[in-house]
């Protein structure tokens, strides 16, 4: 990957994609640099498989590379890229269902090398060691697709309700309602895990 | 005081700071006195914080290498295999454009062909389908028709009156055809027209009401046989168009057919 130009790094996403549309490939590199981790984390949590998540993120960037002129500055770039990634991840999930392969939480212990340790998370786990990452991911995987996507975008990716509304093409009220229901479902599942272990 | 189920529903908003100060204080007071709600809130807090603090996973080290390879491949495809990879609209637009141009060119060609003077010999069979019920003269009567020389002047006068405004030029041209057809009037129907050698002129057909035609012909010539002969030309009156004018129906006089 090319080293991002310092001046380019100060540009907004929308300015970068515009530069890319004008033929500046460094601008595209910077977009990849900015979004690859966030998109990977989102698709990884959504699909529960690092290999599939990586394929989806690469396909997302390839789509943007090929269809660079499809972007119009009427929407935020982040909304656009999350929409593409979300749709591809959803397609991947459907393909998987068709293949009838069951990924029983390959959340991975073989993927540890790709994790960035979060000291804050460690603190929380020390306080409440019952809620491990595995438990939460298992619970997320059990959520219906529409709840899973919305809770990942709002609570994990920390996007605003408005942006999630645009990404998912649903009204703002629906997003809030789904987030609330998803949280309650998730909480219920985690409580069940806790009660089972006790 | 709110009920417990209503308070539990506000748990996330409580931790997000989305409640008013009064609502927040009210819930805090309630939690201090209600162990069930306090437990539910504790689970909300744990779930929320668990989600927020999930480890951030990042792609593998060779992510960029693979992506660049795919990008190079995509660029190669775009440059070399563009006809196969381009979207459907990208080839549909020029294809439909070319098809439209071809149709227009074909239309212009056909139109010019129709307007050009024909090189075919004039052997038009003139048929008069709508004269059949009104005129039932025997075929032999047609054989007794006057000669072309006798008729050459009369039809011209007749046509001026019959068409109601036709020019003498038009009448003359009609008379030429009239004469040509009369020369072969002795033949068995349909009447064979004599060849009129070039230049051929362009004509359009004009129908005249049968009653009008009969009345005017009878008044002019006064002979049933003559009327019969005239019908061959006058029911579908042919008049020359203005010079340079278009032939809106693409009909040539040589192809006109009139049937008894």
């Amino acid at each position: 990957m090319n080293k991002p130009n310092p001046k380019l790094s100060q540009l907004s996403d929308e300015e970068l994609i515009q530069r890319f549309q004008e033929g500046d490939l460094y601008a595209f590199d910077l977009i990849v640099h900015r979004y690859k981790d966030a998109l990977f984390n989102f698709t990884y949590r959504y699909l529960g498989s690092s290999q599939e998540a990586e394929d989806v993120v690469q396909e997302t960037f390839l789509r943007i590379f090929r269809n660079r002129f499809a972007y119009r500055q009427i929407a935020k770039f982040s909304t656009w890229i999350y929409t593409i990634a979300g749709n591809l991840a959803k397609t991947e999930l459907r393909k998987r269902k068709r293949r009838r392969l069951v990924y029983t939480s390959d959340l991975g212990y073989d993927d540890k090398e790709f994790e960035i340790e979060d000291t804050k998370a460690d603190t929380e786990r020390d306080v409440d060691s019952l809620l491990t990452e595995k438990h939460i991911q298992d619970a997320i995987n059990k959520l219906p697709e529409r709840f899973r996507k919305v809770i990942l975008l709002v609570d994990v990716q920390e996007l605003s309700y408005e942006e999630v509304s645009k990404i998912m093409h649903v009204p703002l009220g629906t997003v809030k309602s789904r987030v609330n229901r998803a949280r309650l479902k998730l909480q219920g599942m985690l409580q069940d895990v806790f009660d089972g272990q006790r | 005081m709110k009920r417990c189920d209503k308070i539990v529903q506000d748990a996330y908003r409580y931790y997000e700071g989305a409640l008013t100060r009064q609502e927040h204080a009210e819930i805090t007071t309630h939690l201090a006195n209600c162990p069930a709600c306090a437990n539910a809130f504790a689970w909300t807090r744990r779930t929320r914080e668990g989600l927020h603090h999930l480890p951030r996973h990042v792609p593998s080290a060779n992510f960029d290498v693979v992506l660049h390879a795919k990008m190079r491949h995509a660029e190669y495809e775009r440059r070399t295999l563009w006809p196969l990879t381009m979207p459907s609209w990208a080839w549909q637009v020029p294809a439909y454009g070319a098809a439209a141009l071809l149709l227009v060119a074909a239309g212009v060609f056909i139109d010019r062909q129709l307007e050009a003077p024909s090189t075919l010999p004039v052997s038009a069979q003139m048929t008069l389908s709508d004269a059949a019920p009104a005129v039932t003269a025997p075929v032999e009567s047609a054989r007794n028709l006057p000669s072309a020389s006798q008729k050459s002047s009369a039809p011209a006068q007749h046509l001026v009156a019959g068409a109601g405004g036709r020019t003498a030029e038009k009448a003359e041209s009609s008379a030429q055809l009239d004469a040509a057809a009369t020369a072969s009037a002795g033949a068995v129907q349909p009447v064979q027209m004599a060849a009129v050698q070039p230049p051929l002129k362009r004509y359009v057909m004009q129908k005249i009401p049968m009653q009008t035609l009969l009345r005017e012909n009878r008044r002019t010539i006064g002979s049933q046989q003559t009327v019969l002969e005239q019908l061959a030309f006058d029911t579908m009156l042919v008049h020359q168009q203005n010079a340079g004018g278009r032939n809106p129906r693409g009909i040539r006089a040589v192809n006109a057919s009139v049937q008894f």
Side-chain angles (χ1 to χ4, degrees):
Chain A
M1 186 67 62
N2 300 310
K3 194 174 179 180
N5 185 334
K7 285 182 183 175
L8 280 179
S9 62
Q10 295 169 2
L11 297 177
S12 68
D13 296 339
E14 289 73 23
E15 288 168 328
L16 280 178
I17 189 71
Q18 190 179 349
R19 294 285 294 266
F20 176 49
Q21 286 172 339
E22 290 164 1
D24 188 347
L25 290 177
Y26 289 105
F28 182 73
D29 283 349
L30 202 58
I31 288 168
V32 173
H33 184 73
R34 279 185 190 178
Y35 278 94
K36 67 174 182 179
D37 291 354
L39 288 180
F40 180 81
N41 193 53
F42 165 61
T43 51
Y44 176 66
R45 295 290 174 200
Y46 188 79
L47 296 168
S49 159
S50 61
Q51 187 54 52
E52 285 180 348
E54 200 159 303
D55 289 345
V56 164
V57 176
Q58 285 185 342
E59 184 59 29
T60 303
F61 286 122
L62 272 177
R63 294 273 173 106
I64 291 169
F65 182 77
R66 286 194 191 113
N67 307 304
R68 65 196 78 168
F69 300 108
Y71 174 74
R72 298 281 178 272
Q73 290 199 6
I74 51 173
K76 278 181 73 177
F77 178 75
S78 59
T79 305
W80 190 52
I81 198 168
Y82 267 105
T83 305
I84 296 170
N87 288 341
L88 288 170
K90 194 175 173 180
T91 307
E92 189 63 33
L93 208 60
R94 285 177 181 166
K95 280 184 194 169
R96 185 198 295 174
K97 281 179 184 172
R98 279 202 297 271
R99 288 196 299 261
R100 296 183 180 280
L101 291 176
V102 181
Y103 287 69
T104 51
S105 179
D106 71 341
L107 226 202
Y109 297 105
D110 53 339
D111 296 333
K112 285 286 183 188
E113 55 183 324
F114 305 135
E115 286 186 12
I116 291 176
E117 286 301 323
D118 188 335
T119 51
K120 212 171 177 181
D122 284 343
T123 310
E124 292 297 329
R125 278 198 287 257
D126 289 340
V127 173
D128 192 350
S129 58
L130 285 171
L131 281 184
T132 64
E133 179 192 352
K134 184 178 183 307
H135 290 140
I136 294 172
Q137 184 65 45
D138 282 349
I140 289 171
N141 289 346
K142 287 176 187 169
L143 284 174
E145 188 269 331
R146 64 182 189 283
F147 290 145
R148 192 189 316 177
K149 194 172 186 178
V150 81
I151 206 167
L152 286 175
L153 290 171
V154 172
D155 282 340
V156 178
Q157 301 301 116
E158 299 181 354
L159 301 180
S160 68
Y161 287 117
E162 288 77 13
E163 198 166 352
V164 175
S165 164
K166 288 174 186 169
I167 289 169
M168 296 186 68
H169 304 291
V170 292
L172 188 61
T174 307
V175 172
K176 288 180 178 176
S177 161
R178 281 188 191 175
V179 167
N180 199 39
R181 290 172 66 187
R183 282 166 174 168
L184 291 174
K185 276 181 177 286
L186 198 68
Q187 189 175 320
M189 285 189 275
L190 291 173
Q191 274 184 280
D192 290 344
V193 172
F194 174 77
D195 292 341
Q197 285 184 349
R198 214 162 40 167
Chain B
M1 180 67 73
K2 288 181 178 178
R3 291 174 55 190
C4 288
D5 54 348
K6 174 66 179 162
I7 284 180
V8 170
Q9 283 181 6
D10 286 337
Y12 271 95
R13 295 177 69 210
Y14 178 83
Y15 287 115
E16 286 173 348
L19 298 173
T20 63
R21 187 173 292 178
Q22 187 187 348
E23 286 173 329
H24 192 274
E26 195 179 324
I27 289 176
T28 306
T29 308
H30 179 84
L31 294 177
N33 300 314
C34 179
C37 284
N39 185 46
F41 268 61
W43 270 106
T44 300
R45 181 184 58 79
R46 287 170 187 156
T47 307
R48 182 174 175 272
E49 289 176 350
L51 285 169
H52 280 289
H53 299 133
L54 279 172
R56 312 291 291 185
H57 287 254
V58 294
S60 63
N62 63 349
F63 178 89
D64 292 343
V65 176
V66 175
L67 178 62
H68 268 224
K70 287 182 177 178
M71 283 164 55
R72 276 196 297 275
H73 183 69
E75 193 64 10
Y76 167 78
E77 277 188 339
R78 189 182 69 82
R79 288 184 178 176
T80 58
L81 308 173
W82 62 270
L84 303 175
T85 55
M86 64 184 179
S88 58
W89 60 264
W91 62 264
Q92 281 176 355
V93 169
Y96 283 125
L101 278 175
L102 206 63
L103 281 174
V104 169
V108 169
F109 177 76
I110 291 168
D111 190 46
R112 288 188 179 175
Q113 286 294 311
L114 286 173
E115 287 185 1
S118 173
T119 56
L120 294 172
V122 179
S123 59
Q125 293 185 340
M126 304 199 71
T127 56
L128 185 62
S129 56
D130 51 357
V135 181
T136 55
V139 174
E140 288 74 20
S141 63
R143 292 183 181 141
N144 298 327
L145 289 174
S147 66
S149 59
Q150 288 174 319
K151 283 187 52 60
S152 59
S153 59
Q157 294 172 359
H158 150 69
L159 285 169
V160 171
R166 278 176 289 144
T167 61
E169 182 186 339
K170 290 173 184 172
E172 185 184 342
S173 65
S174 183
Q176 288 176 354
L177 286 173
D178 195 35
T182 309
S184 60
V188 179
Q189 293 177 20
V191 180
Q192 291 288 332
M193 291 180 63
V196 177
Q197 270 314 318
L200 288 176
K201 295 173 182 177
R202 292 194 292 271
Y203 298 94
V204 291
M205 302 303 166
Q206 182 181 4
K207 287 193 175 182
I208 302 294
M210 179 57 63
Q211 292 303 321
T212 306
L213 196 66
L214 286 172
R215 185 176 63 249
E216 290 181 358
N217 280 330
R218 193 170 291 125
R219 191 174 56 210
T220 306
I221 304 169
S223 163
Q224 184 67 26
Q225 285 80 5
T226 309
V227 168
L228 186 64
E229 184 200 25
Q230 286 296 310
L231 284 173
F233 302 98
D234 291 347
T235 307
M236 300 183 80
L237 274 177
V238 175
H239 69 89
Q240 190 177 17
Q241 276 196 296
N242 295 330
R246 287 177 59 81
N247 183 347
R249 296 181 190 170
I251 301 168
R252 291 196 195 95
V254 292
N255 293 328
S257 59
V258 182
Q259 187 175 31
F260 287 108

